């Protein structure tokens, strides 16, 4: 557990300002799958312009923000409900950075103890870290009673990471820019997913860097394309069979060149009855769209017994964005 001064201010550390009234606030925030991901050439800031369609899935991170005793002197601490050596709990964790940023912007002098329960695969291309940040922002905002409105939180979310605003919004949305400029998309029905997990994560910057190398090797300049009408029509109709062929991910080749074995995972999922399987975001999670929960069980079983994956998770979608649950 780390002890970080949120707003140190010499001589002020004992002056705790309490505006909220609850002693703890629990917030849930979802991970995501990209139904469509079109990637352009990186700009001067190194970020790649995107056109993407996010769908929030029922794999949910839970962040509990607890009020500290007065003698904690305005620190931000974070602990995991289940220890995971791959997840840092110091200032490099996006949830801690979210709390620190909110405290800095709003002038809150009080600290917070964050407790995080992880259900989204770590470094899996499903924005689990971003969901932690979204949940921490909302939980601290309630706990501290800052009065910051939703638009203000979305601004802070975009400063923390490209996928953080979507975890606040949830449901289904088109993302432009870095993926942080969002427009909600009309979607009917429920979509069933099976996620095939890899034993080790992939770094998002490494996948984007590989994407750039592959483009340079082929002498092409990538450009984003708009979301195809077939995809938005399938979502409007609530039709997973029509959605399947419209699923698309420009990072597929880059992720497969770093993890060639994922091609076999995709093939196994489709052979076992998935309507379509794709790399989720920057990978290495493979997301298999299935017609119903019976086929979900069959696909999960086939993947588990293939020896190709570290495990599977099943989830339906879309679900709401970050929300207080207690
Ligand atoms: O915004 P976030 O911190 O989640 O992004 C992680 C990394 O992924 C960035 O530092 C960048 O290398 C890469 N990225 C990108 N273009 C995007 C989103 C992320 O190149 N639109």
């Amino acid at each position: 557990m780390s002890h970080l001064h949120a707003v140190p201010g010499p001589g002020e550390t004992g002056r705790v300002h309490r505006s909220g009234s609850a002693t703890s606030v629990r917030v849930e925030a979802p991970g995501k799958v990209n139904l469509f991901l079109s990637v352009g050439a990186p700009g001067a800031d190194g970020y790649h312009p995107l056109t993407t369609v996010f769908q929030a899935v029922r794999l949910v991170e839970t962040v509990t923000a607890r009020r500290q005793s007065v003698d904690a002197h305005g620190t931000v601490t974070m602990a995991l409900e289940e220890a995971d050596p791959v997840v840092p709990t110091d200032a490099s964790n996006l949830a801690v950075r979210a709390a620190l940023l909110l405290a800095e912007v709003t002038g809150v002098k009080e600290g917070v103890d964050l407790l995080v329960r992880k259900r989204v695969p770590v470094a899996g291309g499903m924005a689990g870290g971003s969901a932690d940040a979204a949940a921490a922002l909302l939980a601290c905002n309630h706990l501290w009673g800052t009065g910051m409105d939703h638009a203000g939180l979305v601004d802070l979310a975009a400063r923390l990471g490209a996928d953080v605003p979507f975890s606040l919004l949830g449901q289904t949305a088109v993302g432009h820019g870095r993926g942080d400029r969002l427009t909600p998309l009309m979607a009917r029905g429920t979509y069933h997913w099976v996620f095939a997990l890899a034993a080790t994560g992939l770094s998002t910057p490494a996948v984007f860097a590989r994407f750039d190398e592959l483009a340079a090797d082929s002498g092409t300049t990538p450009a984003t394309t708009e979301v195809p009408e077939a995809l938005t029509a399938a979502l409007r109709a609530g039709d997973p069979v029509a959605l399947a062929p419209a699923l698309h991910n420009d990072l597929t080749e880059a992720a497969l060149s770093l993890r060639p074995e994922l091609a076999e995972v995709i093939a196994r999922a489709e052979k076992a009855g998935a309507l379509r399987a794709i790399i989720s975001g920057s990978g290495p999670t493979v997301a298999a769209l299935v017609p119903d929960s019976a086929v979900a069980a069959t696909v999960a079983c086939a993947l588990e017994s293939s020896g190709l994956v570290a495990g599977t998770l099943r989830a339906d979608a879309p679900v709401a964005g970050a929300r207080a649950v207690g």
Side-chain angles (χ1 to χ4, degrees):
M1 189 183 287
S2 63
H3 290 272
L4 307 167
H5 286 281
V7 188
E12 290 188 342
T13 49
R15 210 188 71 216
V16 176
H17 163 74
R18 299 194 179 236
S19 31
S21 57
T23 54
S24 78
V25 177
R26 197 164 82 244
V27 171
E28 292 183 351
K32 57 83 185 170
V33 60
N34 299 79
L35 306 180
F36 179 81
L37 181 53
S38 168
V39 181
D45 60 359
Y47 271 85
H48 295 70
L50 306 177
T51 299
T52 188
V53 176
F54 294 107
Q55 187 172 68
V57 302
R58 202 181 300 283
L59 293 179
V60 168
E61 303 281 279
T62 307
V63 173
T64 306
R66 288 210 174 91
R67 200 176 288 290
Q68 292 175 322
S69 64
V70 171
D71 52 11
H73 299 316
T75 57
V76 174
T77 76
M78 179 194 151
L80 291 166
E81 212 170 272
E82 294 139 38
D84 183 337
V86 180
V87 180
T89 54
D90 61 10
S92 65
N93 187 291
L94 212 50
V96 174
R97 284 168 47 201
L100 290 171
L101 179 63
L102 181 66
E104 182 195 316
V105 166
T106 58
V108 164
K109 308 286 187 232
E110 181 181 350
V112 66
D113 294 330
L114 301 174
L115 179 65
V116 180
R117 184 178 113 148
K118 299 201 64 71
R119 287 296 177 265
V120 179
V122 175
M126 297 190 68
S130 299
D132 296 340
L137 271 182
L138 194 60
C140 292
N141 198 45
H142 279 303
L143 187 77
W144 293 334
T146 74
M148 180 170 282
D149 62 11
H150 183 75
L153 289 179
V154 171
D155 275 354
L156 295 189
R159 284 166 62 179
L160 290 161
D163 291 337
V164 184
F166 177 69
S167 191
L168 281 178
L169 182 68
Q171 303 294 355
T172 307
V174 178
H176 285 110
R178 297 174 171 192
D180 55 337
R181 288 203 336 258
L182 298 169
T183 313
L185 199 58
M186 159 74 169
R188 280 196 187 83
T190 300
Y191 299 84
H192 300 273
W193 294 94
V194 176
F195 298 101
L197 312 184
T200 49
L202 266 178
S203 133
T204 302
V207 177
F208 275 104
R210 188 77 192 114
F211 175 86
D212 294 339
E213 282 168 18
L214 291 171
D217 289 351
S218 65
T220 54
T221 304
T224 57
T225 56
E226 265 320 298
V227 181
E229 171 59 22
L231 189 141
T232 50
L235 289 171
R236 270 198 310 276
D239 184 351
V241 175
L243 179 64
L247 297 172
H248 174 80
N249 185 351
D250 269 353
L251 293 178
T252 303
E253 204 188 337
L256 289 181
S257 89
L258 295 169
R259 292 284 172 85
E261 64 272 24
L262 295 178
E264 181 65 10
V265 176
I266 289 171
R268 285 293 172 101
E270 292 181 346
K271 189 164 169 248
L275 298 167
R276 183 87 192 283
I278 55 167
I279 303 283
S280 177
S282 55
T285 305
V286 169
L289 180 65
V290 292
D292 53 45
S293 49
V295 178
T298 310
V299 170
C301 193
L303 289 170
E304 299 261 357
S305 60
S306 71
L308 293 167
V309 305
T312 60
L313 292 170
R314 288 154 58 178
D316 61 355
V319 297
R323 66 202 174 100
V325 291

